Amino acid sequence: MSRTAGAACGSCSWRCCGRTLGTRSRPNASGRCGRRGLRSQGRGAGKLGARPGPLQQRRGLPEPRAQTDRPVPLPGARGSVPPAGRACPRVSERPARWPRTSRWRPSRAHLEAAGHVCVLKDAFDFGSPSEIANLILAENCEAALALHLYRAGRLLQGHRIPFGIIFGGTDVNEDAKQKEKNTVMGRVLEEARFAVAFTESMKEMAQVQWPHAKGKIYVQSQGIATTPNATFNWNTFLQRSEINQSADNLHIFLLICGLRQVKDPLYLVGAFSEWHQDEPSVYLVIVGPEVDPVFTREVKAKVKRAAGVRLIGEMPQGDLHAAVKNCFAVVNSSVSEGMSAAILEAMDLEVPVLARNIPGNAAVVRHEVTGLLFSTPQEFVHLAKRLVSDPALEKEIVTNGKAYVRMYHSWQVERDTYQQLIRKLEGSSED
């Protein structure tokens, strides 16, 4: 049976039962594999890039970090793919219950569009590589795609199945600083067929840490597609958030993140609460799952005492997109980011973004052009007040943000890229 591609991410892993995020080819009416082959595009460079377009030059939009108007051909691409068999689990950095910003959603859709059937599982469900080995054997897994080099990639070592890596952000930005983790991740990259960085700067950081992987790291930005739930009720959301004011007079700032320290959801709580006491119409609503139980208790305790700050649990993707569309602005206060899908989705939904000034955010947010960048809680409040009082600035930011996402974060370009990359998982490790 021919190999096919599965996927793995640091929080989710694909098993091959054919339900969600492992992969095998769907048969057609004749009982044969219905998957089409991907035609070879020849040889090309190891990154995806683009020249600034007229809109970017005119408005000063950020330079494209990771996308072209068509996918760059990959080295060693081959002709049409033979019928595919089962694939292996995708292992992700984040739990499968992760809300709308999870990076496994597009990868799954892209692979299923190529004829694979993908099943997602949480990396935290596996205590050791031996448990992954049991899964591979039981499900006849043949390939994997991992999101997060350390948390997912280390589980895939030594199983003699081909796999690729998608950098998550904290693996390159934070875990690489720890010697033991750095060594493990270097060994993972030795086995990986390819690795994907969201930005050119992320690729460069990875190449500095692991020079032996230079020839297998590609750059592809996240493709964005938003799907707001048309039946979503904003007033019900406000009631759930215990905000008992008329929606017409409110300015709701949404901070979308899992409750873990790297997302730093408490960073703005004190300053925002002080602002709320002066201006009761502004609220900060933190939305996301309880990833770290110990830290979650700390967040709940502090939010409970903070005027104007609310905390609600995770939401279905469509509802969260609708909540973003109704809010005044989306906030990102993370200590480290790879590429925040929440920021990009807010831009796509024409909602202003205020983001902490860190490399991952600055790669997609240009200050006063596609969003606002802050370095302290006090600067956040100053910029938020300015945004509330300046409709012209708000309009300019959302117009530029929408244009930027359309130009450099195409869902279709991302799909074409991943479908080509998955071809590198065909054949044996000796090929």
Side-chain angles (χ1 to χ4, degrees), residues 4-124:
T4 185
C9 73
S11 66
C12 329
S13 123
W14 297 359
R15 61 186 176 85
C16 313
C17 69
R19 294 181 190 168
T20 329
L21 210 59
T23 74
R24 63 182 178 183
S25 293
R26 294 186 177 89
N28 56 27
S30 67
R32 297 188 169 216
C33 170
R35 182 181 179 206
R36 298 180 183 176
L38 297 175
R39 188 174 300 279
S40 170
Q41 300 292 321
R43 297 182 178 271
K47 77 167 191 174
L48 304 175
R51 295 191 302 272
L55 178 62
Q56 175 197 359
Q57 294 169 338
R58 184 169 66 252
R59 288 178 174 162
L61 296 179
E63 293 183 7
R65 268 44 173 211
Q67 182 178 307
T68 59
D69 55 354
R70 56 188 173 85
V72 172
L74 302 172
R78 290 176 281 180
S80 59
V81 180
R86 291 193 173 196
C88 109
R90 169 173 182 170
V91 189
S92 148
E93 174 197 2
R94 284 170 273 205
R97 65 180 184 275
W98 194 253
R100 83 195 231 290
T101 58
S102 57
R103 296 181 183 120
W104 55 261
R105 292 182 187 276
S107 302
R108 171 184 172 182
H110 299 331
L111 297 189
E112 288 183 334
H116 300 295
V117 178
C118 305
V119 178
L120 186 71
K121 281 187 68 71
D122 189 339
F124 292 119

Side-chain angles (χ1 to χ4, degrees), residues 196-427:
V196 177
F198 294 132
T199 65
E200 184 64 35
S201 62
M202 184 186 291
K203 174 184 176 180
E204 291 171 356
M205 290 175 64
Q207 289 180 156
V208 169
Q209 295 294 334
W210 306 287
H212 63 276
K214 282 186 177 181
K216 60 174 68 173
I217 301 177
Y218 300 84
V219 180
Q220 173 58 52
S221 61
Q222 292 191 75
I224 296 301
T226 52
T227 55
N229 180 0
T231 64
F232 177 80
N233 190 302
W234 179 241
N235 288 323
T236 300
F237 173 84
L238 294 177
Q239 291 172 9
R240 178 185 172 190
S241 305
E242 299 181 351
I243 298 174
N244 301 312
Q245 295 188 36
S246 170
D248 296 335
N249 301 321
L250 292 173
H251 292 90
I252 305 296
F253 294 76
L254 285 188
L255 196 165
I256 303 162
C257 69
L259 301 186
R260 52 189 182 127
Q261 291 184 341
V262 72
K263 298 301 180 182
D264 208 2
L266 296 177
Y267 183 66
L268 300 174
V269 168
F272 199 101
S273 184
E274 291 180 9
W275 181 27
H276 171 80
Q277 293 178 53
D278 293 335
E279 180 50 71
S281 68
V282 298
Y283 282 85
L284 176 65
V285 180
I286 304 171
V287 183
E290 300 177 2
V291 178
D292 181 335
V294 175
F295 184 62
T296 293
R297 288 195 291 272
E298 180 184 343
V299 172
K300 287 182 175 180
K302 188 162 184 177
V303 168
K304 189 175 182 179
R305 300 190 300 268
V309 182
R310 300 290 188 267
L311 175 64
I312 63 175
E314 60 186 310
M315 299 171 63
Q317 184 180 27
D319 287 353
L320 198 47
H321 284 168
V324 169
K325 195 171 181 64
N326 280 275
C327 78
F328 177 72
V330 164
V331 179
N332 181 294
S333 60
S334 296
V335 173
S336 174
E337 284 284 0
M339 177 175 283
S340 170
I343 287 176
L344 295 172
E345 289 169 351
M347 290 180 179
D348 188 57
L349 292 166
E350 300 181 79
V351 173
V353 170
L354 294 98
R356 194 168 179 172
N357 194 0
I358 57 174
N361 289 342
V364 295
V365 177
R366 177 158 291 178
H367 186 57
E368 298 184 343
V369 179
T370 58
L372 298 173
L373 295 171
F374 60 87
S375 298
T376 66
Q378 293 71 32
E379 186 179 13
F380 164 81
V381 171
H382 170 74
L383 292 171
K385 288 180 176 180
R386 180 182 167 196
L387 191 62
V388 168
S389 63
D390 190 345
L393 175 63
E394 177 188 358
K395 182 177 180 181
E396 180 70 11
I397 284 175
V398 300
T399 299
N400 290 341
K402 179 73 171 182
Y404 170 73
V405 169
R406 283 182 173 177
M407 192 178 301
Y408 301 121
H409 294 275
S410 163
W411 174 270
Q412 185 60 51
V413 169
E414 184 188 52
R415 169 166 293 186
D416 293 344
T417 297
Y418 277 102
Q419 288 181 352
Q420 288 190 53
L421 283 170
I422 289 302
R423 291 180 53 82
K424 299 177 75 65
L425 302 184
E426 297 169 24

Side-chain angles (χ1 to χ4, degrees), residues 147-197:
L147 171 56
H148 202 279
L149 181 56
Y150 181 74
R151 291 178 181 166
R154 64 194 173 101
L155 296 175
L156 297 174
Q157 284 184 278
H159 295 305
R160 300 184 64 82
I161 62 169
F163 64 88
I165 296 290
I166 303 174
F167 295 127
T170 54
D171 42 11
V172 178
N173 297 331
E174 304 298 329
D175 293 338
K177 299 173 184 177
Q178 301 180 39
K179 184 176 180 180
E180 183 178 346
K181 289 184 177 181
N182 189 302
T183 300
V184 170
M185 291 189 287
R187 291 172 183 163
V188 172
L189 283 174
E190 288 177 2
E191 290 188 38
R193 297 284 183 90
F194 64 84
V196 177

